[in-house]
Amino acid sequence: MQGIWTTERIRAAEDRLLAVTPDGELMRRAAFGLSVHAAEMLAEHTGSVSGRRVTLLVGSGNNGGDALWAGAFLRRRNVAVSAILLKSERAHAQGLAALKRSGGKVVSVEDGPQWIGRADLVIDGIVGISARGPLRADAAALWEHVSSPVLAVDLPSGVDPDTGAVDGPAVVADRTVTFGALKPVHALAPASCGEVALVDIGLRPELGDPDLQRLDTADVAAAWPVPGPGDDKYSQGVVGVAAGSATYPGAAVLAAGAAVRATSGLVRYAGHAADVVRGRWPETIATGSVTDAGRVQAWVVGPGIGTGHEGRDVLRFVLGRGVPVCADADATTIIAHSPDVLDARDPDTPLVLTPHAGEYERLMGSPPGADRVAAARSAARKYDAVVLLKGHCTVVAAPDGRALVNTPQGSWLATAGSGDVLSGLVGALLAAGLDPWLAAGAAAHVHSLAGSMAADGAPTSASGILDAVPDAIRAIRSHPL
Ligand SMILES: NC(=O)C1=CN([C@@H]2O[C@H](COP(=O)(O)OP(=O)(O)OC[C@H]3O[C@@H](n4cnc5c(N)ncnc54)[C@H](O)[C@@H]3O)[C@@H](O)[C@H]2O)[C@H](O)CC1
Ligand SMILES: [K+]
């Protein structure tokens, strides 16, 4: 797993490291790594490095210092470097001196637009982990002239470093080079960061346990259940799917299908769409009601069951079975409106809730807000459940405080029925015995990869995502560990 630390933790660790490192050494390490990426981008986008033009947008703190020192290093490769100082009187003195010594130019903010216009690469050294809010007016005015590739120093300026929220003018980078450790913005704002590269400046020993995690492919590959010689259809875990209705069988077909495709375990379907599900997935054991569905190791409940009495009875029954439950869609709404259904749940049995923002608001009485990690953690505590908060980036929080972020590949999942597929994947992994927090994270990871594979650059559908699940699992399992 990739550790992610908040800016407060990063700053504390940097202070500890600065205390035992020669003055300026950390910054030069960061800046040298930054200059290597800048040269790589110049070569990538223009075919050469020497003679190319780089413009630095320089803020008043150490983020600007990184950019100035990187400019000095680029000068050694005969790159023409010009620096626009947003607050010339507060620019990082040593960095500015280093740039001038190397032959770099300092240009006025007024002349900035023309130096930006002719740049082969713009380096965003406006603000880093001290950022508060969107770009200020002077920086925003310059940003409007940028049309070249952009390299962000530490993080794209104007994006909240700890939540990834963008609520005003902000840099959109092709690549972000960060130092020491990932910050939440790098997982929560992929569209703003572009490709994220991490430069080691020796910070890791000072950091301690991360505040957040991001599953990497190796984690998902290791977690995903695969049958062994001693397995049979039961040993992989039997998952029950209580979804859909005679009027709306689609959710049942999608959720049951996802469970069928996720693992080799047996899938039992229970509900009024039994004939349709059986017809589409003959390998399932489909019955008309949860009460005669037989034994399972986990339940998926909610998609298309309706929020009336019958839906409530189905949910109450499932919650009372003493096995992990993934409650999605209508089940989330029922829990929000009739929390007494949770009385049926044995407190020790894991519950996974998978709300989108609207369902979250029903559960919690207010929308998730800018800090979606804090929001997911708050719901996890309130319901003593793993909460998978859907969004462009999915956040999964556990009642014990663990939280992970799944950085999606595109926005292809925003299509009807996509959530039904996700809930089937979660249920299958719960039935296989995975830790519920890991099961939700791994399911979100595969769901997101299946979405981008199914889309392959064009809009897709829940059925397309479902069909791509096996290829997504193959891709993850074939990834070099
Ligand atoms: N500590 C080190 O030696 C290392 C630091 N690194 C780099 O340092 C920055 C953090 O630098 P800091 O001096 O704390 O502040 P910033 O440069 O992030 O901010 C400067 C300044 O910007 C103003 N500001 C705040 N919000 C905005 C905004 N939205 N728009 C414009 N300007 C804004 C405010 O006045 C701030 O004080 C860190 O990110 C690294 O790049 C290296 O990591 C290596 C070692
Ligand atoms: K920046």
Side-chain angles (χ1 to χ4, degrees):
M1 294 206 191
Q2 280 182 308
I4 298 172
W5 284 262
T6 61
T7 55
E8 185 188 352
R9 299 280 306 285
I10 293 279
R11 193 184 302 287
E14 268 185 5
D15 289 347
R16 286 191 290 273
L17 188 56
L18 282 168
V20 295
T21 311
D23 184 35
E25 169 64 23
L26 274 192
M27 184 168 284
R28 283 191 294 281
R29 273 186 217 161
F32 183 74
L34 180 61
S35 71
V36 170
H37 281 278
E40 233 179 63
M41 289 180 75
L42 284 172
E44 221 172 273
H45 291 283
T46 70
S48 66
V49 178
S50 174
R52 290 300 172 184
R53 289 185 289 260
V54 168
T55 295
L56 313 175
L57 303 180
V58 178
S60 54
N62 289 329
N63 195 252
D66 289 343
L68 290 163
W69 271 106
F73 288 125
L74 286 167
R75 283 293 304 136
R76 295 180 185 172
R77 299 187 61 168
N78 192 35
V79 174
V81 178
S82 55
I84 305 170
L85 310 180
L86 282 161
K87 297 276 180 298
S88 52
E89 70 289 355
R90 289 176 54 201
H92 191 273
Q94 294 88 335
L96 183 56
L99 179 72
K100 287 178 177 172
R101 277 196 309 274
S102 71
K105 282 172 73 72
V106 175
V107 300
S108 68
V109 173
E110 293 66 38
D111 293 343
Q114 61 181 306
W115 289 90
I116 289 171
R118 65 174 73 145
D120 296 307
L121 175 71
V122 165
I123 295 183
D124 158 29
I126 298 167
V127 59
I129 58 173
S130 292
R132 293 291 170 269
L135 288 177
R136 292 174 185 167
D138 54 350
L142 285 175
W143 171 247
E144 276 169 19
H145 295 278
V146 174
S147 59
S148 72
V150 175
L151 172 57
V153 181
D154 208 10
L155 50 98
S157 302
V159 184
D160 186 299
D162 283 320
T163 66
V166 179
D167 46 18
V171 165
V172 175
D174 299 276
R175 186 179 304 186
T176 292
V177 174
T178 189
F179 314 110
L182 293 183
K183 290 85 182 176
V185 60
H186 299 124
L188 290 163
S192 301
C193 294
E195 180 195 345
V196 176
L198 176 60
V199 170
D200 182 7
I201 56 172
L203 200 58
R204 186 65 188 83
E206 301 291 341
L207 280 166
D209 292 339
D211 298 290
L212 266 185
Q213 312 260 16
R214 181 163 65 178
L215 288 185
D216 49 36
T217 300
D219 299 307
V220 180
W224 208 273
V226 172
D231 275 315
D232 61 29
K233 66 183 173 212
Y234 296 107
S235 61
Q236 291 244 352
V238 179
V239 59
V241 177
S245 62
T247 327
Y248 298 108
V253 169
L254 290 167
V260 165
R261 290 208 157 136
T263 71
S264 313
L266 175 62
V267 176
R268 294 186 193 276
Y269 166 77
H272 297 309
D275 293 342
V276 177
V277 169
R278 194 180 296 117
R280 179 68 184 79
W281 305 108
E283 51 272 83
T284 58
I285 297 178
T287 54
S289 158
V290 283
T291 50
D292 54 26
R295 226 161 72 78
V296 299
Q297 276 73 52
W299 275 103
V300 176
V301 58
I305 63 168
T307 54
H309 284 295
E310 191 181 359
R312 264 206 300 282
D313 293 346
V314 167
L315 176 56
R316 194 176 280 114
F317 177 86
V318 161
L319 287 169
R321 293 306 96 206
V323 296
V325 172
C326 173
D328 178 46
D330 289 340
T332 314
T333 303
I334 294 170
I335 288 170
H337 294 161
S338 317
D340 59 295
V341 291
L342 292 172
D343 297 345
R345 173 192 172 199
D346 171 339
D348 295 336
T349 51
L351 174 63
V352 176
L353 299 175
T354 56
H356 52 57
E359 289 159 341
Y360 180 94
E361 187 164 358
R362 283 180 219 137
L363 284 170
M364 298 300 282
S366 59
D371 190 342
R372 298 174 65 249
V373 174
R377 279 180 163 141
S378 164
R381 279 193 305 273
K382 177 178 177 182
Y383 288 93
D384 185 24
V386 167
V387 172
L388 183 157
L389 178 56
K390 295 171 187 169
H392 183 59
C393 289
T394 296
V395 177
V396 181
D400 61 9
R402 286 175 296 166
L404 68 84
V405 182
N406 180 64
T407 304
Q409 309 177 28
S411 304
W412 304 110
L413 297 176
T415 181
S418 168
D420 305 336
V421 174
L422 177 60
S423 65
L425 297 177
V426 174
L429 296 182
L430 290 173
L434 266 68
D435 167 286
W437 175 69
L438 182 58
H445 190 102
V446 163
H447 186 238
S448 167
L449 179 56
S452 63
M453 291 173 88
D456 191 18
T460 185
S461 67
S463 304
I465 296 167
L466 176 53
D467 291 343
V469 164
D471 286 341
I473 297 170
R474 264 182 220 106
I476 279 166
R477 299 195 64 249
S478 62
H479 186 279
L481 292 183

